[in-house]
Amino acid sequence: MPELSKEEIIKFSEELGFFKIGFASPSVPAENLTVYQNWLELGYHATMEYLRNGLEKRQYLSKVLPGVKTVIMTAFNYYTGEDFKHGELKISRYAQIRDYHKFMIQKLKALARKIKEYAPEAQFRIYSDTGPIMEKALAAKAGIGWQGKNGIIISKERGSWLFLGTILTTLEFEPDSPAVDSCGTCNICMDSCPTSAIVQPGVVNANKCISYWTTEAPKTGDIPEDIKENKKGWLYGCDICQEVCPWNIKFGKVNPEAVNLRRIKSSYSHKEIMAMDDEKFVEIFTGTPVKRRGIEVLKKNSLK
């Protein structure tokens, strides 16, 4: 059986719709682990206690897949275009399309199956924001992009409108060069955050983050007044730090596949949300990340 090259895997990944793919050795840089542990100790994860789980697995990928030799990182461009109706209640771009956890896993499984045709003995573990994997650190190490000051991976070719996917494998490939931080002296994302959630370059305090309060916070209880007063019309998620990023403004490119995956509008009126019952909510938002939060949370998010 012929040996499978990186170039062939890249070709397979492109056929599956991935914008970019990179290869890295299976270790997380020590500085990333230190930053993450400090982030947890400072309580910047807010109520997301699950992020404390699997710290040993995050550090030692062999605990996830014994014999792992390579991390294959992939990126899918989900940009569908600039179409927000400002002044309305806005839905973050990632949530306007089909739930990425599902279609990304399907694509990753398809890529792993293709690789396995050439290497039947190979083992794999697949994740897309679904397990104790430090995807951003590994994406930077694999050359997908650098972690920007807003904490998000930024690619020179497409900006930061990216879903990341991870394949751990027992196959060994030559690692790619890590991405070079290219934010420079730019602080636009930090200066533009209306709640000052980006407390230092690359560090986001979820307790101050609009996206946290509209997508991850406990369903019971109110959104703090200082967040509510500065929410800028965001109903679910928040894209401010990405909208203002020069890399997105210059290099954001519409992906036709992402457009085809789109399920809901970019914005809704307060009247629409408040008039919505459970049945209508399920009809509109099924298949998107919004569905898991329920109509009552959406109504709470719509209040000023």
Side-chain angles (χ1 to χ4, degrees):
M1 185 171 291
E3 184 175 337
L4 183 64
S5 68
K6 285 173 59 175
E7 289 70 29
E8 287 169 309
I9 296 176
I10 293 169
K11 181 176 179 292
F12 295 149
S13 73
E14 290 173 347
E15 291 171 354
L16 287 166
F18 289 118
F19 143 69
K20 196 169 185 178
I21 185 170
F23 300 75
S25 59
S27 63
V28 177
E31 58 268 28
N32 293 102
L33 290 165
T34 299
V35 168
Y36 187 73
Q37 290 171 332
N38 288 341
W39 183 78
L40 291 171
E41 289 173 9
L42 289 167
Y44 287 167
H45 62 303
T47 61
M48 297 179 287
E49 286 301 314
Y50 63 88
L51 293 174
R52 289 187 178 276
N53 298 337
L55 288 178
E56 190 175 20
K57 289 182 177 180
R58 294 177 196 275
Q59 184 172 4
Y60 303 108
L61 295 178
S62 60
K63 299 286 186 180
V64 180
L65 176 62
V68 60
K69 290 186 173 65
T70 304
V71 180
I72 303 174
M73 293 301 304
T74 64
F76 178 86
N77 168 26
Y78 68 84
Y79 188 59
T80 57
E82 179 56 61
D83 53 5
F84 282 121
K85 297 176 181 177
H86 291 281
E88 296 288 298
L89 298 172
K90 296 168 286 188
I91 304 281
S92 186
R93 281 191 179 86
Y94 85 89
Q96 295 174 28
I97 65 177
R98 183 184 168 200
D99 191 332
Y100 69 93
H101 301 91
K102 296 178 181 178
F103 78 79
M104 284 290 288
I105 292 296
Q106 290 174 345
K107 288 178 179 292
L108 293 166
K109 285 182 176 179
L111 182 56
R113 283 196 300 270
K114 193 68 177 177
I115 297 172
K116 203 169 180 66
E117 289 179 9
Y118 291 78
E121 78 289 352
Q123 295 182 47
F124 303 90
R125 291 290 185 277
I126 291 169
Y127 299 94
S128 184
D129 195 22
T130 51
I133 303 293
M134 295 189 67
E135 291 180 318
K136 293 176 183 177
L138 292 168
K141 186 177 179 182
I144 298 293
W146 69 95
Q147 193 163 356
K149 292 182 180 178
N150 58 5
I152 300 172
I153 290 294
I154 302 173
S155 151
K156 281 189 174 182
E157 299 91 345
R158 291 291 184 277
S160 65
W161 307 111
L162 304 174
F163 294 139
L164 300 176
T166 305
I167 299 178
L168 306 183
T169 180
T170 52
L171 295 174
E172 188 166 11
F173 295 97
E174 183 181 354
D176 291 319
S177 299
V180 177
D181 188 324
S182 299
C183 284
T185 59
C186 178
N187 293 314
I188 293 175
C189 62
M190 299 179 70
D191 296 338
S192 298
C193 179
T195 56
S196 300
I198 309 173
V199 293
Q200 65 185 67
V203 179
V204 177
N205 181 355
N207 298 286
K208 296 183 176 184
C209 180
I210 294 169
S211 186
Y212 164 76
W213 283 104
T214 56
T215 68
E216 296 291 341
K219 293 184 178 182
T220 57
D222 296 326
I223 296 175
E225 286 302 316
D226 59 328
I227 303 295
K228 195 183 295 184
E229 290 171 4
N230 292 285
K231 200 151 57 68
K232 305 295 183 183
W234 287 97
L235 178 66
Y236 188 93
C238 176
D239 285 343
I240 292 173
C241 66
Q242 296 195 82
E243 285 187 308
V244 300
C245 177
W247 290 98
N248 282 334
I249 293 170
K250 189 171 183 179
F251 297 107
K253 184 177 180 181
V254 172
N255 180 1
E257 183 179 355
V259 174
N260 290 335
L261 288 167
R262 193 169 177 186
R263 295 289 181 268
I264 58 176
K265 299 189 297 183
S266 62
S267 61
Y268 293 80
S269 69
H270 177 73
K271 184 178 179 180
E272 281 180 288
I273 298 299
M274 297 309 292
M276 203 176 286
D277 58 16
D278 283 335
E279 184 178 355
K280 189 66 175 176
F281 172 82
V282 170
E283 177 188 332
I284 293 173
F285 295 107
T286 290
T288 73
V290 183
K291 168 68 165 50
R292 69 183 179 87
R293 293 296 280 173
I295 183 57
E296 294 307 318
V297 170
L298 221 58
K299 287 182 176 181
K300 179 176 70 174
N301 292 352
S302 76
L303 298 176
K304 296 181 179 180

